[in-house]
Amino acid sequence: MYPSLRSGSVIASISLCFLSLFSLSAFARPATFLQDFQVTWSDSHIRQIDGGRAIQLVLDQNSGCGFSSKHKYLFGRVSMKIKLIPGDSAGTVTAFYMNSDTDAVRDELDFEFLGNRTGQPYTVQTNIYAHGQGNREERVNLWFDPAADFHTYTILWNHHHIVFYVDDVPIRLYKNNEAKGIPYPKLQPMGVFSTLWEADDWATRGGLEKINWSKAPFYAYYKDFDIEGCSVPGPANCASSAQNWWEGTAYQALNALEYRRYKWVRMNHMIYDYCSDRSRYPKPPPECVAGL
């Protein structure tokens, strides 16, 4: 298992930060689906459960499906609990991401869960687009079965860094290195999206493993939809306020325990890092040598 839980002092510090909630920000604590989200693709393939506090996404040979937040946000934290497709899910992709929806100059922060053959590890791919520059993929094999139960997947985005978390474990860090000429998403608000779709041309072992449609329909489940951030449109000074909890000292860098967990993931579970791919990048991209 990953390193032990936070110390009491860290928990106390974080608890104080959570108490400092300011009216400038938009807070949407775990809500029903329709409070913050809307179906964007194939309404018949998204089913509400438990009075809308959870949903089921369906992929079959007719269609996948998708949904998005009703608003865009500029900085904050978004998280969902997801239970992924069990069994033989090769060729499927369950995605949870933020996107500015601005085409060539888009900003985007991606979780993509790549289906597997039964018994093989589930892979999560993360990607970051900043000012239209993407192709910054990392892949990690999860250290548990994400189809057996719900796990929390979180994106924290502030002026200092972007952190992707699986439960309490940071699996990816992207620092704001604008001072070194490296693009960082900070000007465009992003919506929250999720999709379940067929991608057997690339998703599993580079497209070698195809979808077994005899196993369809495929189901993924979501609950505890939590968005805390600056809603756009909204108060103009929200996104620049240093008093939003996600801009606080406790969230400006990984603490010691988070850093140990982060290194543990990279040492034991990382299977692809674009920074090390010399066939794609003979010269490493600048953020790869900028340091943590």
Side-chain angles (χ1 to χ4, degrees), residues 175-290:
K175 289 197 70 173
N176 184 345
N177 279 307
E178 283 189 309
K180 299 179 181 180
I182 298 168
Y184 187 80
K186 71 173 191 179
L187 299 176
Q188 300 188 105
M190 291 190 262
V192 182
F193 296 82
S194 186
T195 54
L196 174 58
W197 52 292
E198 171 195 354
D200 68 2
D201 57 334
W202 67 271
T204 308
R205 295 185 59 218
L208 295 177
E209 304 283 356
K210 303 298 184 182
I211 281 187
N212 181 355
W213 286 114
S214 72
K215 303 294 185 180
F218 301 99
Y219 302 110
Y221 296 86
Y222 290 66
K223 67 178 183 178
D224 290 2
F225 312 98
D226 188 0
I227 302 174
E228 300 172 72
C230 292
S231 180
V232 177
N237 57 341
C238 178
S240 61
S241 174
Q243 306 206 3
N244 293 317
W245 69 259
W246 53 84
E247 301 288 357
T249 303
Y251 301 93
Q252 294 178 11
L254 300 183
N255 62 43
L257 177 55
E258 287 177 326
Y259 185 71
R260 289 199 300 273
R261 288 176 166 179
Y262 173 73
K263 296 297 289 184
W264 174 81
V265 169
R266 299 181 78 81
M267 290 178 61
N268 295 285
H269 296 282
M270 175 166 277
I271 58 172
Y272 178 80
D273 180 0
Y274 75 99
C275 287
S276 304
D277 190 340
R278 293 295 171 265
S279 62
R280 292 177 69 192
Y281 298 104
K283 180 181 179 181
E287 67 272 15
C288 297
V289 295

Side-chain angles (χ1 to χ4, degrees), residues 70-92:
K70 295 178 179 178
H71 303 284
K72 290 185 176 181
Y73 301 87
L74 192 54
F75 301 111
R77 183 187 68 180
V78 57
S79 70
M80 297 182 188
K81 289 185 178 178
I82 305 174
K83 184 161 67 171
L84 296 173
I85 300 167
D88 187 347
S89 58
T92 69

Side-chain angles (χ1 to χ4, degrees), residues 114 123-125 137-141 202-203 269-272:
L114 311 183
T123 297
V124 56
Q125 174 171 286
E137 300 93 345
E138 293 183 0
R139 292 186 179 184
V140 168
N141 278 342
W202 67 271
H269 296 282
M270 175 166 277
I271 58 172
Y272 178 80

